[in-house]
Amino acid sequence: MTSPYRPLPSNQLGVLARHRLYDGGDHVLMVSTTGYHEDYRRFFYSDIQALVWRKTHGGTLASFLTAVPLIASFALLTQPDSVVPFALIATPFAIALVLQWIAGPTCAFEIITALQAHRLPAVRRLKTARKLMARITPKIMEVQAIQTPESPASATSGNPPVAPEAGTEAMPPTP
Amino acid sequence: MPASLSCLKCGTSLELESDSGAGRMRCAACDSVQDYVLFPTFGQRIKPGQKAELAVAEGEGTCFFHPTKRAQVPCDLCGRFLCALCDLDLAGRHLCASCLPAAQKKGTLAQLDRRRFLPHSAAVSLVICSLLLIPLALILAPAAIYFSIRTLRGESGLVTRGRWQAIVCIVIAIAEIIGGGAFFYAIFSAR
C-alpha cells in the first residue's frame, strides 16, 4: 500500500517532537511525532491565503555558542602534548559549527488562512522555507486560480516596502 | 479595509502595499523585516453556509432529518437523503451528521485523523528495554511482538508505516524470548 503523502522540505529534528511536512494532493499535512503518537494538522491549498516568514537570530546565537568553546579549546594548544585532547574537544564543536553554517540562517514561518495564522515548527531554516515555497506555491496558485475570487480588500499603504537584503530575496508566487 | 498581516515577532498589525503578490514589510514597532507571499484568496472571509430549501412539490425527496426541506444529496455512507443544511462536504464526500462522528471513531476517513498511535514505536521501545533487562524479556518481548503484529495488520501512522521496524522487532523479540528462557533455565538448573 503506497502512501498518498509525498514529503515536503522540512527541518525534522526538534527537542521534544519531530515535525515533518507532507504534500497530501490538496493539502499540506504537518505531522508532529511525540513519543508513541503522531499528531496531524492539515492546511488545504484552497484555504491558504498567505505565507509569511522572517529571519531569526537563533542560528547566529547557536553559531556563537558553538564557536566560543571551539575558540577556547585553542588554549589547550599552549600546553605540551595537548594535540589529542584539543582534537577531542574541538572536533565536535567544529563539526557543529560547519553543520550550522551549511544549514544557513534560521527563520520563523507562518501559514495564514481565513481563520488562523499557524507557525510551522517544521520550517526553521530559510533554505528550507525557500524550498518549501517553491514546492507549494504553484499548487496553491493552481488550486486558487479555479476559485472565483471575491472582492479583495482595498489596499492602502501603511508600511513602506523595504529593499531586500542580500540572500533573502522574497520569492514571487509562480503563476 | 486595508490588507494587513500580523508581525511574526510582536503581533502588530502591518498594512500592506498591495493585496496580491510577494513583498517585504518592516514592522514599525519591533523593526523586524518579514517577507510574504499573498495568494488570490487573501482577504476573503469564510463563506456562509447554504440554507436548506423547502420541499414544494408533492413526492419530492426530502431530508431525512428535516422532512420539510428538499433533499440535495444522499449520504455517501448510510444513503440517507440530506438537505443543504445537513450535507457535510468532506473533500468531495457527502456525509450526514450521524455518520461523520461514527467514521471518525472507526478511523475509516483518513482526512479526519488528528492523532494516531504508533505501535511500532512501542515495539521498538519494548525490544530495547528487554535487551537491557533480560530477566523481563519473557514479559516485554511478547508485548513487543503484539505491537509489531498490530503494525503489520495495518495499524500505523498516516505517513509512518513502520513495517520494517515491526519485522525486525519480531525477530529480535523471538531471540529475546529464547534468551530469557535460557537465562531462567540456567538459573533453575543451577539450583
Side-chain angles (χ1 to χ4, degrees):
Chain A
M1 188 172 65
T2 55
S3 169
Y5 294 102
R6 298 278 167 267
L8 286 170
S10 49
N11 303 114
Q12 300 189 6
L13 293 177
V15 179
L16 296 173
R18 184 176 168 219
H19 304 282
R20 290 161 293 163
L21 295 175
Y22 289 85
D23 174 16
D26 60 348
H27 64 275
V28 174
L29 178 76
M30 188 175 79
V31 182
S32 303
T33 309
T34 47
Y36 305 125
H37 287 92
E38 271 184 355
D39 292 288
Y40 309 110
R41 194 163 188 122
R42 293 169 180 81
F43 303 96
F44 285 86
Y45 292 138
S46 56
D47 296 334
I48 296 174
Q49 295 193 341
L51 302 171
V52 189
W53 67 100
R54 76 173 182 90
K55 191 178 169 183
T56 57
H57 300 298
T60 312
L61 182 67
S63 297
F64 177 76
L65 293 175
T66 316
V68 166
L70 178 64
I71 293 165
S73 64
F74 276 93
L76 280 174
L77 288 176
T78 57
Q79 307 293 323
D81 298 331
S82 59
V83 175
V84 174
F86 166 74
L88 287 173
I89 293 170
T91 304
F93 290 110
I95 290 171
L97 195 62
V98 169
L99 291 176
Q100 190 70 248
W101 179 71
I102 291 170
T106 49
C107 73
F109 191 92
E110 271 191 10
I111 282 184
I112 314 284
T113 65
L115 291 179
Q116 64 174 348
H118 193 87
R119 186 161 294 189
L120 295 187
V123 184
R124 290 195 299 272
R125 299 281 177 178
L126 273 176
K127 271 185 191 175
T128 312
R130 287 201 193 97
K131 284 180 194 168
L132 178 68
M133 298 275 295
R135 288 278 299 274
I136 66 171
T137 301
K139 296 194 175 194
I140 296 170
M141 296 301 284
E142 187 185 341
V143 168
Q144 296 190 6
I146 55 174
Q147 292 180 339
T148 310
E150 290 177 5
S151 59
S154 61
T156 53
S157 174
N159 296 277
V162 182
E165 293 167 22
T168 58
E169 290 81 10
M171 186 177 296
T174 311
Chain B
M1 202 176 89
S4 65
L5 284 170
S6 293
C7 171
L8 293 188
K9 193 174 182 183
C10 66
T12 307
S13 182
L14 307 174
E15 292 180 10
L16 304 178
E17 273 272 293
S18 161
D19 57 5
S20 62
R24 176 165 286 193
M25 56 191 179
R26 186 187 289 276
C27 177
C30 66
D31 205 35
S32 66
V33 178
Q34 343 210 344
D35 296 299
Y36 60 85
V37 174
L38 306 179
F39 296 104
T41 54
F42 181 72
Q44 287 182 16
R45 301 197 173 186
I46 296 290
K47 290 175 186 169
Q50 281 185 294
K51 286 182 181 174
E53 294 174 30
L54 284 170
V56 285
E58 185 73 25
E60 196 173 14
T62 56
C63 174
F64 178 84
F65 299 100
H66 303 100
T68 57
K69 306 288 185 185
R70 180 183 289 163
Q72 280 206 335
V73 67
C75 172
D76 284 340
L77 292 180
C78 67
R80 287 168 179 162
F81 282 9
L82 306 173
C83 63
L85 188 66
C86 297
D87 172 26
L88 301 172
D89 188 352
L90 186 80
R93 297 187 73 179
H94 299 276
L95 303 177
C96 67
S98 55
C99 285
L100 188 71
Q104 191 172 15
K105 200 172 180 182
K106 284 182 188 171
T108 50
L109 290 171
Q111 298 101 318
L112 293 174
D113 274 350
R114 295 182 64 190
R115 188 177 174 88
R116 278 196 183 188
F117 174 60
L118 303 175
H120 70 273
S121 293
V124 169
S125 297
L126 288 166
V127 158
I128 292 170
C129 283
S130 54
L131 270 177
L132 299 172
L133 304 164
I134 281 292
L136 291 178
L138 290 179
I139 300 165
L140 299 178
I145 291 174
Y146 165 72
F147 285 119
S148 300
I149 289 171
R150 277 176 64 173
T151 304
L152 294 176
R153 289 181 66 182
E155 191 181 334
S156 59
L158 278 179
V159 292
T160 314
R161 299 293 177 200
R163 290 181 179 275
W164 282 109
Q165 288 103 313
I167 292 167
V168 171
C169 281
I170 287 175
V171 172
I172 296 173
I174 290 170
E176 285 172 346
I177 290 170
I178 294 167
F183 175 79
F184 283 109
Y185 177 77
I187 287 176
F188 289 116
S189 61
R191 284 183 181 178

